[in-house]
Amino acid sequence: MIGAVLLVGAVTYLVYAGVRETSMYYFKIDEFLARKSELTNEGVRVAGRVRSGSVEKKTTTAGTELRFVLSDFGAVDGVPVHYTGVLPDMFAEGRDVIVEGKYTPEGMLRARSVLTSCPSKYEAEADQPHPGGAG
Amino acid sequence: MTEVGSLTLAVGLVLAAYGTVVALAGGWQQRRDLIASAEHAAFACWGLALIATAALLHALVTHDFNVEYVAAYTSSTLPLNYIIAALWGGQKGSLLFWLLILTSITAVVLLQNRERNRDLMPYVNAVLMAIAVFFFAMLVFITPPFERLAFTPPEGRDLNPLLQNYWMQLHPPSLYLGYVGCAVPFAFAIAALITGKLGDVWIRTTRRWTLFAWFFLSLGNLFGAEWAYLVLGWGGYWAWDPVENAAFLPWLTCTAFLHSVMIQEKKNMLKVWNMVLVILTFLLTIFGTFLTRSGVISSVHSFTQSGLGPFFIGFLALSAAVSLGLLGYRLRLLKSENELDSLISRESAFLFNNLVLVGIAFAVFWGTMFPIISEAVRGVKITVGPPFFNKVNAPLGIVLLFLTGVGPLIAWRRAGWQSFRKNLLPPLLAGLASGVSLAALGMRSLWALTSFSIGVFVLAGIVFEYYRGVRARQAVAGENAAVALLHLIGKNRRRYGGYIIHVGVVMMYFAITGTAVFRQEQQITLSQGQSFELGGYTLRYDGVEQESTPHIAYLRAKVALAQDGRDIDVLKPEKRFYKKPEQPTTEVAIRSTLSGDLYLVLGGFDEDTKLVTLLAYVNPLISFLWYGGLVMALGTAVVMWPAAVPVREPRTVRLRAPEPAVVD
């Protein structure tokens, strides 16, 4: 009995501490834009759309540098994203993506990873693996 | 054919509903005619599901692009094996496939048991048919697989390239067999609750089915991991994505159940707990099926919302309410006759094992659902990523591994110092010695040291058990060691097969530890002829080559691999461009050895500068994950192998191969 209580306590603590240390806000782009002023230097995940015509890519021996604007789904408003690294296969202009990273004081999202979501014609399945994303 | 398919589904829905009601009535009034009629309905449902599946396969194979499903998931250039796999490649087809497995399993269960367990069977049939009603209803009303388009497109949109992979043929069927298999013990449990026959008949009857489900759940998860490893190109095999978690959750509770039933069989304890685990496992399989289809959690897997959500939620809530209601109603009858004698005993080791497994399941569930929970509570979606799951589960996993070693060695009821010294001390010392040696060899990670030494402790305990069993047989029967070993396993498959499964588990822990702690990675951009080093390998980029087929265009980077100054291999990681869905994918190149994999990804090729970006990973010990899985499969086969003689062995076996500790 004591052991069981201890164990339940341990699990609760681990979950609690785990959540506190690793949690991250998850916003749709419009929610993010509405409250971005409070989010400076916070880790965030933002889901939005890559604005058409905004992608700049430069490959040097230092790696591939990518800049684009993550815009809302009507492509009216957006936030610039800066990312260095390998692009997921499905990345393209007009695609829905999830950017994970930090919102800098200069008003830019410095991405640690960019995940692409499935094109909407495609239904998700248990058997469908994790598409792309250098996580 | 598709009209036939739609029709069979509609008829199936009616028959399944009829079967459910009539089976319940027949059981209630003890009317053989009604019970038999419900059984016939179940067999008919099986036949109908077969016809519907055949109709969909026919449409797929004949490229009937007028059928929405065929146009959405195949194309004229898709190879036949993937056309067949497209049956479970999309929402509608996969639900039909689920139903086919369910009705097949129902038929087999009925054939096996209708003469043997007359009291339980009407209710077992009713439960399984009720589940079938749900799936038939979805296929008829929500996701009709034979839906036709208003026009016939000249070409299909093709199967998602990520699914065009060898493991697509094995992973989903395994997982579904596992999921659906869990319905069998659930149905028996509900039947036991309804009839009040709460002894361990239902547990003994479903033991093989539970193992069957567990086996396929294990394989399903493992195949999924292998697939993710090969296809996703991030060097890992498990990302704690909601969809992966959905498949992992029922595996955890099912594993817990497989262990705790032993306590019920031996000690008549934990009856309520076992009921809870069976019910939970079944609900989690439905939850898993739902999670991947609902768009409730925005996983990178599931982005489309489908109208299935409310129905699944409804079905889940109904199943939970009915089963927990029944459980509450019978709670008094389920009172244990025995109490835990001591904290230091096999019972309590098993109990802890159960608590840890359920604890892990809880943590995984919590982490998966956290965005929803936080949104409901605080109005903001907050996610936890892989670091959460790793942080929480690593310590719990270590405790679990330790209990894996303790459980089989510790005595029932109450273990004293004597038995501790005799049974546990030698393997503990072996584990400790291995830890000290690894530290002396320069291993500094506390995680790795703990995991490896506990793993060695478990292995040593198993070897020790085998050794003692063989010696005892040799002494009594005068057999040579090999014969004695075979007889030992043969006479008590459950115990010695279980040990083999544990060996597989330890191997997998080694792989997980190796990759989690000692993984190396590098991302680098190179021009032709340049090289870099990682994990003792030298990798030189030697240019790209291109190839094209009507289905796929390939771009390969040639990377020469050298070790100790000698060229040993050429790896060719690829980018593929699938022409029908116009979608690129990454195909990794792997050099695999027992000590570890070199995993190479073509990150990108810049046409203008001719620079190539490569990602290289060294994953130590990862092959043990797959070999561990094989060993687990072997152990499960030993456990499940039908006994040649009726099972009456335990008593005699005990005389020859004494229980490891105090005989109870």
Side-chain angles (χ1 to χ4, degrees):
Chain A
M1 210 45 221
I2 302 163
V5 170
L6 274 179
L7 204 74
V8 171
V11 172
T12 316
Y13 171 75
L14 284 170
V15 168
Y16 170 75
V19 166
R20 218 187 37 191
E21 286 168 36
T22 67
S23 64
M24 200 184 266
Y25 287 110
Y26 180 67
F27 295 114
K28 290 228 175 65
I29 180 74
D30 41 341
E31 296 166 324
F32 171 79
L33 292 171
R35 41 201 303 183
K36 64 180 179 188
S37 52
E38 336 156 15
L39 294 169
T40 308
N41 285 327
E42 291 271 1
V44 286
R45 290 179 80 159
V46 186
R49 185 165 289 168
V50 181
R51 179 181 289 168
S52 293
S54 74
V55 177
E56 287 171 48
K57 204 162 82 167
K58 204 171 77 188
T59 302
T60 63
T61 43
T64 299
E65 226 181 297
L66 178 79
R67 288 165 191 277
F68 65 93
V69 174
L70 185 71
S71 69
D72 57 9
F73 299 101
V76 184
D77 205 355
V79 58
V81 178
H82 187 180
Y83 173 68
T84 308
V86 169
L87 279 177
D89 289 326
M90 311 260 290
F91 184 88
E93 299 194 337
R95 197 50 49 86
D96 291 350
V97 296
I98 298 172
V99 173
E100 201 174 290
K102 210 172 229 180
Y103 186 59
T104 66
E106 298 85 56
M108 177 183 75
L109 264 178
R110 185 172 293 279
R112 202 174 54 226
S113 69
V114 176
L115 306 166
T116 45
S117 57
C118 320
S120 53
K121 68 180 183 194
Y122 176 73
E123 285 166 339
E125 288 297 335
D127 32 41
Q128 180 215 338
H130 200 298
Chain B
M1 273 306 268
T2 55
E3 288 72 24
V4 175
S6 305
L7 188 67
T8 51
L9 290 176
V11 176
L13 173 60
V14 175
L15 271 181
Y18 166 83
T20 311
V21 174
V22 171
L24 281 177
W28 189 259
Q29 299 178 345
Q30 297 285 321
R31 293 228 340 237
R32 288 296 296 167
D33 56 332
L34 292 184
I35 294 170
S37 174
E39 284 169 3
H40 295 152
F43 292 128
C45 284
W46 180 29
L48 291 167
L50 265 175
I51 295 172
T53 310
L56 188 57
L57 273 176
H58 180 261
L60 286 166
V61 172
T62 54
H63 301 303
D64 187 354
F65 293 133
N66 185 243
V67 175
E68 191 268 337
Y69 189 81
V70 178
Y73 296 104
T74 61
S75 73
S76 56
T77 53
L78 187 68
L80 182 64
N81 52 337
Y82 295 130
I83 289 182
I84 293 168
L87 177 63
W88 49 79
Q91 179 96 279
K92 299 167 174 178
S94 67
L95 289 174
L96 178 59
F97 186 59
W98 218 105
L99 178 72
L100 174 69
I101 298 177
L102 177 69
T103 49
S104 311
I105 284 182
T106 307
V108 175
V109 167
L110 287 176
L111 288 172
Q112 259 183 343
N113 289 290
R114 59 180 170 170
E115 300 304 327
R116 268 190 276 167
N117 295 296
R118 291 204 173 171
D119 303 330
L120 294 178
M121 285 322 285
Y123 300 106
V124 170
N125 191 12
V127 172
L128 292 171
M129 293 286 265
I131 303 169
V133 168
F134 172 67
F135 281 91
F136 270 121
M138 301 257 273
L139 288 165
V140 171
F141 297 116
I142 319 286
T143 59
F146 299 104
E147 200 173 13
R148 286 191 173 271
L149 296 165
F151 61 102
T152 304
E155 180 59 280
R157 284 178 304 190
D158 212 353
L159 191 64
N160 184 318
L162 291 172
L163 303 182
Q164 295 183 36
N165 178 285
Y166 174 79
W167 295 101
M168 174 64 184
Q169 301 161 68
L170 290 181
H171 164 69
S174 310
L175 201 60
Y176 286 4
L177 277 172
Y179 272 1
V180 184
C182 291
V184 178
F186 172 74
F188 273 88
I190 295 298
L193 284 172
I194 293 176
T195 54
K197 300 200 182 311
L198 295 159
D200 53 11
V201 173
W202 72 273
I203 282 186
R204 287 186 193 281
T205 313
T206 55
R207 199 174 73 77
R208 278 222 174 79
W209 277 106
T210 314
L211 273 165
F212 168 92
W214 179 85
F215 177 65
F216 282 105
L217 276 180
S218 311
L219 283 188
N221 274 295
L222 196 65
F223 291 163
E226 170 86 43
W227 186 357
Y229 184 62
L230 296 178
V231 156
L232 301 178
W234 62 282
Y237 47 87
W238 193 267
W240 297 107
D241 188 86
V243 172
E244 294 167 348
N245 296 347
F248 188 43
L249 285 170
W251 183 87
L252 288 166
T253 51
C254 188
T255 308
F257 176 70
L258 278 174
H259 287 90
S260 65
V261 285
M262 293 186 224
I263 310 279
Q264 178 162 352
E265 287 177 36
K266 289 252 182 202
K267 295 276 151 192
N268 226 347
M269 290 163 55
L270 302 181
K271 287 183 189 168
V272 179
W273 177 248
N274 282 329
M275 281 288 176
V276 170
L277 283 180
V278 164
I279 293 168
L280 201 59
T281 303
F282 172 73
L283 293 178
L284 285 172
T285 63
I286 298 292
F287 177 73
T289 312
F290 153 71
L291 197 62
T292 51
R293 289 176 170 75
S294 61
V296 138
I297 303 272
S298 60
S299 126
V300 274
H301 293 246
S302 43
F303 236 59
T304 28
Q305 313 267 337
S306 61
L308 293 172
F311 295 90
F312 263 103
I313 295 274
F315 182 64
L316 261 178
L318 185 70
S319 312
V322 169
S323 38
L324 295 177
L326 278 169
L327 184 63
Y329 170 64
R330 293 293 188 193
L331 207 52
R332 238 164 19 89
L333 281 177
L334 285 165
K335 269 251 182 323
S336 279
E337 286 132 54
N338 287 311
E339 299 265 311
L340 209 57
D341 291 304
S342 156
L343 196 60
I344 316 289
S345 65
R346 189 178 294 184
E347 294 92 311
S348 66
F350 273 48
L351 193 59
F352 279 119
N353 135 309
N354 262 250
L355 288 171
V356 175
L357 281 166
V358 173
I360 293 175
F362 171 77
V364 171
F365 182 80
W366 185 261
T368 309
M369 299 302 283
F370 200 71
I372 295 195
I373 300 168
S374 68
E375 190 169 34
V377 175
R378 293 180 42 194
V380 190
K381 259 193 188 163
I382 298 176
T383 58
V384 294
F388 166 81
F389 295 99
N390 292 333
K391 266 194 168 117
V392 175
N393 289 325
L396 293 175
I398 293 278
V399 173
L400 191 62
L401 183 62
F402 182 69
L403 290 170
T404 309
V406 173
L409 296 178
I410 197 170
W412 290 104
R413 297 189 63 194
R414 193 183 298 271
W417 170 244
Q418 274 297 323
S419 83
F420 169 78
R421 217 177 52 185
K422 197 164 128 253
N423 299 303
L424 273 166
L425 201 56
L428 272 176
L429 288 176
L432 205 61
S434 70
V436 171
S437 331
L438 285 173
L441 286 171
M443 193 181 284
R444 286 295 166 263
S445 155
L446 199 59
W447 279 118
L449 285 172
T450 319
S451 168
F452 286 138
S453 26
I454 295 180
V456 169
F457 155 66
V458 179
L459 290 180
I462 292 168
V463 171
F464 190 54
E465 275 283 277
Y466 265 99
Y467 172 75
R468 281 205 309 204
V470 168
R471 282 298 294 270
R473 283 199 74 85
Q474 282 182 300
V476 175
E479 297 160 338
N480 74 39
V483 176
L485 180 66
L486 279 179
H487 282 169
L488 181 75
I489 298 174
K491 294 282 179 187
N492 200 343
R493 293 201 181 87
R494 208 169 155 187
R495 177 160 148 201
Y496 290 96
Y499 290 159
I500 297 176
I501 296 178
H502 282 182
V503 172
V505 170
V506 172
M507 289 168 73
M508 294 168 103
Y509 265 85
F510 286 169
I512 293 167
T513 310
T515 49
V517 180
F518 299 108
R519 178 173 157 187
Q520 292 172 278
E521 59 176 280
Q522 188 165 6
Q523 180 187 325
I524 196 160
T525 302
L526 301 169
S527 55
Q528 194 166 337
Q530 283 188 313
S531 56
F532 68 104
E533 294 196 6
L534 184 72
Y537 292 103
T538 306
L539 297 95
R540 188 185 66 238
Y541 165 54
D542 282 342
V544 291
E545 58 185 36
Q546 285 174 315
E547 191 194 325
S548 186
T549 70
H551 196 57
I552 305 170
Y554 300 87
L555 173 77
R556 296 192 187 95
K558 289 178 288 181
V559 179
L561 192 63
Q563 199 172 23
D564 306 322
R566 282 187 311 120
D567 282 347
I568 49 171
D569 209 347
V570 176
L571 294 182
K572 293 181 175 175
E574 281 175 9
K575 283 273 182 213
R576 288 185 182 175
F577 189 78
Y578 282 78
K579 295 178 176 174
K580 294 285 148 42
E582 301 192 348
Q583 186 183 323
T585 67
T586 300
E587 200 75 6
V588 303
I590 298 173
R591 180 182 166 82
S592 192
T593 61
L594 201 59
S595 62
D597 283 7
L598 176 70
Y599 181 105
L600 194 61
V601 184
L602 175 56
F605 175 68
D606 195 83
E607 290 287 351
D608 307 329
T609 58
K610 304 290 176 204
L611 288 170
V612 74
T613 301
L614 295 173
L615 277 97
Y617 301 85
V618 171
N619 286 324
L621 299 181
I622 191 163
S623 48
F624 281 85
L625 195 62
W626 324 125
Y627 292 125
L630 270 181
V631 172
M632 254 168 97
L634 176 76
T636 316
V638 169
V639 174
M640 294 211 328
W641 204 264
V645 262
V647 191
R648 48 152 189 87
E649 292 295 329
R651 286 289 144 199
T652 49
V653 167
R654 188 158 307 161
L655 289 175
R656 291 188 201 137
E659 285 280 314
V662 187
V663 178
D664 53 22

